[in-house]
Amino acid sequence: MIANVSLEKIGKTIQEADSILIFPHINPDGDAIGSACGLCDTLREHGKSCCIQDAENFGRPDLCICVDCSDEGRLNKRKKTYQSCGSTICIDHHLAAENFAEKGFSDHYYIDSSEAACSQIIYKLLQAMGLKPTPVAAELLYTGIVTDTGSF
């Protein structure tokens, strides 16, 4: 695992933001969708203005979070939008993400390659924040874990 902050610190950063834009990687798989949508749904339930990669209709957010995105190329044309945010966070489980984080592409990063899916990390993040995933978010996170583990 490499991280420049704890999940508790990431949670605090999220709680301090009013508007949050979440970025899964391009051509998203179940884990990218599960991580992004599960986090977004739970944050909305708890009063955050949160959207997935739709900056045109969202304005300039306080915080951008990329999930399950191991390198900046997987953000594609959204890279400038991600970097223009007030603060950025990368949460991932891919080994390749270590280089992404170490290049300083994100202000904060938490990468744990011992986790089978980014959705597992998002669940742990929600726990660290004292938030219970919504029923929809729980299903999304489960989908992310199932698809990245090949049904366990």
Side-chain angles (χ1 to χ4, degrees):
M1 176 177 73
I2 68 160
N4 69 352
V5 292
S6 65
L7 287 176
E8 289 76 17
K9 172 65 176 152
I10 289 174
K12 187 173 191 256
T13 301
I14 291 170
Q15 289 172 331
E16 291 170 352
D18 291 322
S19 57
I20 302 162
L21 190 57
I22 301 174
F23 293 80
H25 60 73
I26 56 171
N27 302 318
D29 59 5
D31 190 29
I33 292 168
S35 297
C37 295
L39 179 59
C40 187
D41 191 63
T42 301
L43 294 178
R44 283 180 179 168
E45 180 69 21
H46 289 89
K48 294 293 177 188
S49 177
C50 192
C51 192
I52 297 172
Q53 74 187 32
D54 188 16
E56 290 176 12
N57 296 319
F58 195 69
R60 184 176 186 263
D62 300 323
L63 177 65
C64 286
I65 304 171
C66 68
V67 295
D68 199 40
C69 191
S70 56
D71 69 54
E72 60 190 271
R74 297 190 84 188
L75 285 173
N76 203 7
K77 296 176 183 176
R78 304 167 297 150
K79 180 178 160 181
K80 283 185 179 181
T81 302
Y82 178 78
Q83 290 181 309
S84 71
C85 291
S87 184
T88 56
I89 297 172
C90 175
I91 302 170
D92 201 358
H93 70 114
H94 295 99
L95 285 174
E98 292 176 2
N99 292 331
F100 176 64
E102 290 170 348
K103 288 180 185 175
F105 191 73
S106 292
D107 299 322
H108 308 293
Y109 56 88
Y110 187 94
I111 297 151
D112 189 350
S113 60
S114 71
E115 298 288 359
C118 188
S119 293
Q120 289 175 277
I121 300 170
I122 297 299
Y123 179 75
K124 289 179 179 181
L125 170 63
L126 295 175
Q127 285 183 315
M129 294 174 69
L131 302 179
K132 182 178 178 183
T134 65
V136 169
E139 212 170 293
L140 288 160
L141 296 173
Y142 176 77
T143 299
I145 295 167
V146 168
T147 58
D148 259 22
T149 62
S151 299
F152 299 96

